[in-house]
Amino acid sequence: MAEILTKSRARNIFYGGSIFFVLVFIALTAQSHFYIVNHSTASAPLTEQIARGKGVWERNSCINCHTLHGEGAYFAPEVGNVMTRWGVADDPQGAYETLDAWIAAQPSGIEGRRQMPHFDINEEDMRALAEFLRWADQTDTQGWPPNDAG
């Protein structure tokens, strides 16, 4: 190998390396997209009701106290698996009734316990929120939360 790095050799190394890493970046982007679409997202289709439930979640600032798949505050329990914990992940009506009863009973008034505020959410929004939480429950979280209690 020559001891001198000429301008043309340096240019060839630069362009060759740049092309190589651009191709690696494109391949990793395609692989990530394929993985996300086929493995890590919820298998249930995203419906208008689920999108509305996400809006209810955001409007009421639920993330200020709860976490959803590890994102949010840690004041209140993780809700990414709440429908499984309640045993209603496969029952839309049961999910609505359980969530509605839970929110209607808040705040519980138990001394020394963190209290969830009462929210006046209409029936349509409550059904949408229940569907959003059921949809979030189906997402492959790769073992998160680390325990069933969230």
Side-chain angles (χ1 to χ4, degrees):
M1 185 167 170
E3 294 182 27
I4 299 174
L5 183 61
T6 65
K7 284 185 181 182
S8 90
R9 286 182 183 163
R11 186 175 45 249
N12 290 342
I13 290 171
F14 171 76
Y15 287 133
S18 296
I19 291 170
F20 173 76
F21 284 108
V22 165
L23 292 174
V24 168
F25 175 76
I26 291 169
L28 289 175
T29 301
Q31 188 274 338
S32 296
H33 177 74
F34 177 80
Y35 180 81
I36 289 168
V37 169
N38 295 309
H39 297 289
S40 68
T41 56
S43 59
L46 193 57
T47 64
E48 280 291 322
Q49 191 174 34
I50 293 169
R52 181 181 180 139
K54 175 78 161 71
V56 173
W57 168 267
E58 291 171 351
R59 244 187 345 271
N60 290 289
S61 301
C62 300
I63 204 159
N64 287 348
C65 297
H66 292 278
T67 56
L68 181 64
H69 304 315
E71 292 292 324
Y74 290 96
F75 183 76
E78 163 76 34
V79 293
N81 65 351
V82 71
M83 294 300 170
T84 297
R85 289 195 320 257
W86 287 347
V88 293
D90 297 325
D91 179 12
Q93 183 62 27
Y96 160 72
E97 290 171 358
T98 305
L99 182 62
D100 190 46
W102 175 260
I103 290 180
Q106 300 304 316
S108 65
I110 299 171
E111 187 76 28
R113 189 168 174 185
R114 295 177 181 172
Q115 301 293 306
M116 180 172 161
H118 178 74
F119 292 99
D120 288 319
I121 301 174
N122 64 41
E123 180 181 348
E124 193 174 333
D125 283 349
M126 188 68 72
R127 286 187 185 280
L129 181 59
E131 282 304 299
F132 169 68
L133 293 175
R134 284 184 60 244
W135 178 84
D137 201 323
Q138 297 174 25
T139 303
D140 179 9
T141 58
Q142 300 177 6
W144 182 265
N147 58 45
D148 290 339

